Amino acid sequence: MTDPISDVSDISDVSAISDRVPDHRRLGRELGLFDTDPLMGAGLPYWLPDGAVVRHTLEEYIREAERAAGYQHVYSPALGKRELYETSGHWDHYSDDMYPPMNLGAEEVVLRPSLCPHHALIYRSRSHSYRELPLRIAELGTMYRAERSGVLGGLTRVRAIQLNDAHIFCTLEQAVDEARAALELIARAYADLGIEAVRHRLSLPGEGGKYVADPELWQRATALLKEVLAESGVAYEEAEGEAAFYGPKIDVQIADPAGRESTLSTVQIDFHQPARFDLHYIGADGAKHRPVMVHRSIIGSVERAVAHLIEAHGGAFPAWLAPVQLAVLPVAEEQVERAAAVVREAAALGLRAELAAPEQGTLGARVRAARLVPYQAVIGDREAGAGLAALRLRDGRRPGALPVPELLRRVADRVAAKGTALWS
């Protein structure tokens, strides 16, 4: 019996999929991840089943990482009264990027441009002791930005944004440690996702009335962020005119395959909004004290994160994130029943597995069609009879024929470990 793997030895590896610079808009459509429709509106992409799997898996990864780091998750509405954003300062400093108010009876309601005012209200909803701090509140929530039509594109510039956001309410003494821990969480996530930061930027205010006019606030927050960067050992560049309107921030910069740079993750220290919302905690002395608000986003917007992942990996996502993690390929019709059983066993272990049956083409054609799938298990007559499957990795390596339980266990262990390695 011919070795089923040797029949497809001429199949090129994933690096040869395209000699073009990866573009997430093209790849996203070719791979069935997302699309747009003019009737739905510009800057409002929809997610197809495989793209929804990537998005859901990414969101669950972030939630679990945050839970492990002591965050509590909340939900808050994507609307708020205009008065809320007047209190936060968004209406005065950010209204050009906001949608106009909607009149609902006597109230004016706005699609939110940010989650931080909502989280400030959640904090303010009850009293807090210093013993509860730091209080870490996280949410994967939708916000809206009134982007001009000319700047919209794919997933990188959209009008409805799913933001991985969190706000830490803490004492002044805790702020540096909390911001540094956020940078560490970002670094771990980048390692698991196979993302490389090209530089860190300390974003400072520039000229004009776009920023809160409080020099002492800016000096205090900037000094703390410089301390965070120094303790983290991170090299950085200062950039005037890139701060948030209420305070400076650390921006983690990424670059697409064409070298275009953008911000994915941020860490900010905010003295402004705790004062605007009159936030307090009860200190050890029994008196009221003002908390510091640390804003942080591990992957920024889900849309921009997925766009970058598509391009960084050319559609060949890390195994734990891939829409399909294991393709099971019976050589002939006689092995279909056994291959279907392997798919069921893989699903029972939490793996996303699919059957690539002979009716879909020759074995070589099916291997090519599954070239982005991290693991391919080929089952010929010899393998079926011995309870084996011949494993082929996406990068061209061939660990060989393994007992199906061992193969599935090792793949499941590798997926659970996250990261970008395919085999250990």
Side-chain angles (χ1 to χ4, degrees), residues 85-116:
Y85 307 110
E86 289 174 341
T87 301
S88 69
H90 285 82
W91 192 258
D92 289 337
H93 299 279
Y94 198 72
S95 57
D96 288 347
D97 293 303
M98 295 171 62
Y99 285 94
M102 296 174 279
N103 293 314
L104 298 178
E107 294 183 342
E108 284 189 318
V109 178
V110 182
L111 290 169
R112 69 176 170 193
S114 175
L115 279 68
C116 44

Side-chain angles (χ1 to χ4, degrees), residues 24 33-34 47 51 54-55 58 155 264 299 301-312 317 321:
H24 82 276
L33 301 175
F34 70 91
W47 298 78
V54 173
R55 172 173 168 166
L58 181 59
L155 296 176
L264 186 62
I299 58 164
S301 80
V302 172
E303 291 80 9
R304 180 171 291 184
V306 173
H308 185 70
L309 286 165
I310 291 170
E311 294 182 348
F317 296 104
L321 196 58

Side-chain angles (χ1 to χ4, degrees), residues 199 201-206 211 236-243 251:
R199 67 186 178 108
R201 185 178 73 192
L202 179 60
S203 295
L204 302 172
Y211 302 100
Y236 67 94
E237 301 170 15
E238 296 185 5
E240 292 188 359
E242 298 293 340
D251 289 325

Side-chain angles (χ1 to χ4, degrees), residues 211-247:
Y211 302 100
V212 170
D214 189 332
E216 183 184 354
L217 174 155
W218 288 97
Q219 291 169 6
R220 293 172 68 202
T222 300
L224 289 174
L225 288 180
K226 286 183 175 180
E227 186 177 342
V228 170
L229 289 162
E231 291 189 8
S232 300
V234 174
Y236 67 94
E237 301 170 15
E238 296 185 5
E240 292 188 359
E242 298 293 340
F245 74 84
Y246 49 80

